Amino acid sequence: MDPHTIQNDRVSHARAVAAGSLPDRIDTTLAEALVLGLLRQGVKVFFSVFGHGSTEIGEVLRIYQENGLLKVYGLRSEIEASHAAAALRWSTGQKAAVITSIGPGALQAMAASLAPASDGIGVWYLVGDETSEDEGYNMQQIPHPQQQQFLKLFSAMGQAYSLHTPGALATALRRGLNTIDHPFRAAPFYLLMPMNTQPALMPVFNLDELPAGAPPIPGAAAGEYEKAAAWIRESKKMVVKIGGGAKAARPELIRLLDLTNGVVVHTPIATGIVPFSSPRNMGVGGSKGSLCGNYAMENADLLVAIGTRAVCQSDCSRTGYPDVKRVININAEIDDATHYGKTLSLVGDAAATLRLLNMALEKFPPRITSDQWLADCAAQKSIWQAFKAERKQNPVLLDEFWRKPVLTQPAAVMAAADWVKENNACLFFDAGDVQANGFQVVEDEHPGQTFTETGASYMGFAVSALLASAVAPDIPYPVAVTGDGSFTMSPQVLIDGAEFGAHGCILLLDNNRMAAISGLQTAQYGVDFATHHDHPVDYLAWAGSIKGVFALDGGNSPKSLLKALDEAKTHPGLSLIHVPVYYGSDPLGGMGVYGRWNVGNWVTETQSLRHEIGL
């Protein structure tokens, strides 16, 4: 089959797909069959940085895009592409694929895939690879005389498959489907595409081989519900710790709290699952945490963990529950469900499992409403709210670097969070100080108001996430709160956001440093080192140099910041608001630290406590 015939066939196939008249068997190539397989799974968005390792699939995508079957977004960074795909799936549920070339591009995408891997988000990664006939080194391959080096590397990150043999496409697509649509632990799937097999002919290919559908959802745990109910009844101070895996169990979770008069503490990724306004919600807990969240963790005698991986910062490197004598752990993943000692594990779907646990609890009379534990926790929450209010009422401090009064990060984030609620918008937080201040101050009433990528804490995630608005224009207006350090990791979003019509705002809080690490260094060693810079950057000029980007000065007061946000929303494209912010030792400049962490010179003490607790 000559190239001209292949090209004509692709055009006719694309038109037939659009008309719903594609025959069951066609003459095709591996690259085209792959695209058809992804379309069958509902993957119609492709974030790409094409190179010599992906020109063949790129040509297929061009033809199929011209026939209205999919959309390709040609971006300037594989890291940006990965973040955009993850944010789109996270915020809207829409599937996407990241396409790269061989070598550096593939490795950049793999690095960025740490975010969806950590946060349980399913994304396809289609990466070019060395040829399968081993005719000699291919440019940009890993230079070792061994087979499938990239496959070994990607397999260390997660599920990976090489299209070394075209006939294995159906298996590759099924494994990818099961991975990215996994019912409780979705993850990236890495499909390696050797450059010579992409154009390989597949005559009379049976399209019925292409898988579709979704993996089955597990049911309730088979476990000791009566025993779990008895443990809860015997507890005087029960804390429920929820992670992202509890999102689908919201009604059952709230019912559990009502039945037990317990309190809930959430991870940064789980804001809004229980409304913050609920008297049972103690907010975030962990190494940063909050006064009320950490109080509940520190003083509880029973932990009920639901859908959480117990990440180091979330449970103070396994020292967050010093008085807990028993754990009930509800998780669909065995390793996570058995993480702690003294655990009764209920391995299954969180919602279905909680439903049965609640039924077991309903056999008992309800708890007394005025339980002292709830009252003690409520008192701590009142103190925490007053603590936040003090920072809101004192929003400006004199800053040494800026040599003038500027907004503090807590005040800026609180102003933005209030504005987002009033305008039915949503917040994406980048890594660093903005992220920590963000999850400490937000008061979400439902999921989807805040997206905090704390799994990998990947700098530049939030600003790249704004590209999701170009794909899904009906998404709530997104505000990406970022620091100067995170923004300069992914500034190309200014160009790509303008190019593809993103409608959102970058709120750049600038203290000319990596403040989270400066603060950590100072807390541990008394001095910061190599985490700040001497010269300010004119971000307004930078953003203003790009046609279609609206650059705004956020000023030095909540009022001026809110005015800038109002102006940004009226702009039909991408906006950037620059806000100088305070960094220094004044306690009003931050939200404080309330837990422990197994890093730096805190290691010996934290590890000793962990082993002393023995949980």
Side-chain angles (χ1 to χ4, degrees):
M1 191 180 297
D2 66 77
H4 184 70
T5 301
I6 292 173
Q7 201 78 339
N8 287 340
D9 282 351
R10 286 173 174 170
V11 173
S12 64
H13 293 161
R15 291 173 178 171
V17 173
S21 59
L22 190 67
D24 293 337
R25 297 174 186 269
I26 62 172
D27 293 333
T28 186
T29 63
L30 176 57
E32 185 181 20
L34 171 57
V35 171
L36 287 168
L38 291 171
L39 286 174
R40 179 166 288 192
Q41 294 185 22
V43 181
K44 299 179 180 180
V45 175
F46 297 81
F47 294 104
S48 69
V49 182
F50 290 126
H52 71 269
S54 51
T55 57
E56 175 67 17
I57 191 170
E59 176 61 10
V60 176
L61 291 170
R62 180 189 68 81
I63 293 170
Y64 275 66
Q65 176 174 279
E66 288 180 352
N67 285 273
L69 297 170
L70 50 83
K71 177 66 176 176
V72 177
Y73 296 83
L75 305 182
R76 287 162 174 76
S77 163
E78 295 84 1
I79 292 173
E80 177 195 25
S82 176
H83 292 336
L88 179 67
R89 187 73 192 272
W90 193 0
S91 61
T92 71
Q94 189 171 349
K95 301 178 188 180
V98 175
I99 301 184
T100 81
S101 187
I102 183 177
L107 293 180
Q108 290 202 89
M110 185 183 74
S113 74
L114 187 61
S118 300
D119 296 308
I121 303 169
V123 176
W124 279 95
Y125 289 82
L126 314 178
V127 302
D129 198 7
E130 63 191 90
T131 57
S132 62
E133 295 198 0
D134 200 17
E135 71 275 11
Y137 289 121
N138 290 164
M139 184 172 63
Q140 297 185 334
Q141 78 169 76
I142 296 175
H144 291 295
Q146 299 175 21
Q147 287 183 305
Q148 299 184 325
Q149 289 293 287
F150 276 118
L151 179 62
K152 296 174 186 176
L153 190 61
F154 279 93
S155 294
M157 180 68 82
Q159 292 292 325
Y161 200 96
S162 172
L163 288 175
H164 190 279
T165 302
L169 174 64
T171 297
L173 287 168
R174 168 54 66 186
R175 292 188 184 177
L177 174 63
N178 290 346
T179 300
I180 74 153
D181 286 343
H182 197 283
F184 60 83
R185 196 65 172 272
F189 185 79
Y190 310 98
L191 189 59
L192 281 73
M193 308 178 297
M195 291 179 286
N196 65 314
T197 65
Q198 290 180 49
L201 297 178
M202 300 180 73
V204 199
F205 177 66
N206 184 358
L207 294 176
D208 283 342
E209 289 190 51
L210 301 176
I217 299 174
E224 301 177 90
Y225 289 94
E226 298 299 329
K227 184 177 180 180
W231 280 15
I232 290 172
R233 294 293 302 174
E234 293 165 11
S235 166
K236 304 297 182 184
K237 301 177 179 181
M238 184 182 86
V239 64
V240 179
K241 186 66 174 287
I242 59 171
K247 182 179 179 181
R250 189 185 195 198
E252 293 82 6
L253 172 59
I254 293 173
R255 178 60 177 157
L256 172 69
L257 294 170
D258 289 341
L259 286 169
T260 60
N261 217 12
V263 299
V264 68
V265 177
H266 59 74
T267 62
I269 203 174
T271 56
I273 295 177
V274 174
F276 185 82
S277 60
S278 167
R280 304 192 188 285
N281 188 341
M282 294 299 114
V284 71
S287 60
K288 290 288 282 189
S290 66
L291 282 168
C292 42
N294 279 51
Y295 175 86
M297 290 171 59
E298 291 281 336
N299 292 278
D301 60 14
L302 171 69
L303 166 64
V304 180
I306 304 173
T308 176
R309 294 188 298 131
V311 176
C312 63
Q313 288 203 48
S314 178
D315 76 344
C316 299
S317 298
R318 210 163 173 167
T319 70
Y321 309 97
D323 290 342
V324 162
K325 303 299 187 291
R326 292 169 170 172
V327 179
I328 300 170
N329 200 326
I330 300 172
N331 204 297
E333 178 65 54
I334 291 177
D335 288 335
D336 291 328
T338 58
H339 173 73
Y340 296 110
K342 308 168 188 174
T343 294
L344 191 163
S345 299
L346 296 174
V347 181
D349 176 71
T353 299
L354 277 176
R355 200 171 298 122
L356 294 184
L357 179 57
N358 287 340
M359 290 173 61
L361 287 165
E362 285 167 350
K363 297 176 182 179
F364 298 95
R367 282 290 185 92
I368 300 170
T369 305
S370 60
D371 182 83
Q372 189 61 46
W373 171 237
L374 181 58
D376 291 343
C377 289
Q380 293 296 316
K381 186 172 183 179
S382 295
I383 296 172
W384 178 243
Q385 293 300 85
F387 183 89
K388 289 196 289 188
E390 183 183 15
R391 278 138 187 81
K392 196 170 188 177
Q393 292 159 8
N394 296 274
V396 174
L397 293 174
L398 179 64
D399 182 78
E400 182 180 337
F401 173 77
W402 294 110
R403 298 181 182 178
K404 64 181 181 179
V406 296
L407 278 168
T408 66
Q409 289 207 59
V413 172
M414 283 189 271
D418 289 343
W419 183 91
V420 161
K421 280 189 176 181
E422 292 171 3
N423 288 270
N424 296 315
C426 66
L427 282 172
F428 285 88
F429 282 108
D430 241 322
D433 246 21
V434 295
Q435 184 182 77
N437 283 294
F439 64 65
Q440 286 178 300
V441 306
V442 294
E443 300 180 357
D444 292 352
E445 292 297 295
H446 57 79
Q449 290 181 286
T450 298
F451 298 93
T452 305
E453 197 289 290
T454 52
S457 200
Y458 210 113
M459 298 176 74
F461 175 85
V463 291
S464 299
L466 294 181
L467 286 172
S469 67
V471 181
D474 56 344
I475 189 176
Y477 183 77
V479 177
V481 186
T482 188
D484 52 288
S486 287
F487 173 73
T488 51
M489 293 284 185
S490 289
Q492 62 277 346
V493 72
L494 293 175
I495 304 169
D496 293 331
E499 173 73 18
F500 293 108
H503 183 219
C505 175
I506 297 170
L507 178 54
L508 199 165
L509 307 185
D510 182 8
N511 49 27
N512 216 57
R513 64 173 58 240
M514 294 170 59
I517 308 307
S518 292
L520 186 62
Q521 290 173 326
T522 301
Q524 292 182 331
Y525 305 105
V527 62
D528 63 307
F529 173 69
T531 52
H532 64 276
H533 305 280
D534 295 329
H535 304 293
V537 176
D538 191 341
Y539 291 101
L540 292 176
W542 189 350
S545 70
I546 299 167
K547 184 178 180 181
V549 177
F550 188 24
L552 291 153
D553 185 349
N556 63 350
S557 72
K559 183 178 180 180
S560 61
L561 172 55
L562 293 173
K563 181 177 181 293
L565 284 165
D566 286 338
E567 292 182 50
K569 191 180 181 186
T570 63
H571 178 62
L574 189 64
S575 302
L576 182 144
I577 300 173
H578 177 257
V579 181
V581 291
Y582 171 82
Y583 176 83
S585 59
D586 193 314
L588 290 173
M591 292 303 298
V593 178
Y594 305 96
R596 294 164 294 277
W597 197 9
N598 192 19
V599 295
N601 60 1
W602 298 333
V603 165
T604 301
E605 183 178 350
T606 303
Q607 289 183 166
S608 296
L609 178 59
R610 179 211 157 176
H611 296 303
E612 176 66 25
I613 294 169
L615 183 63

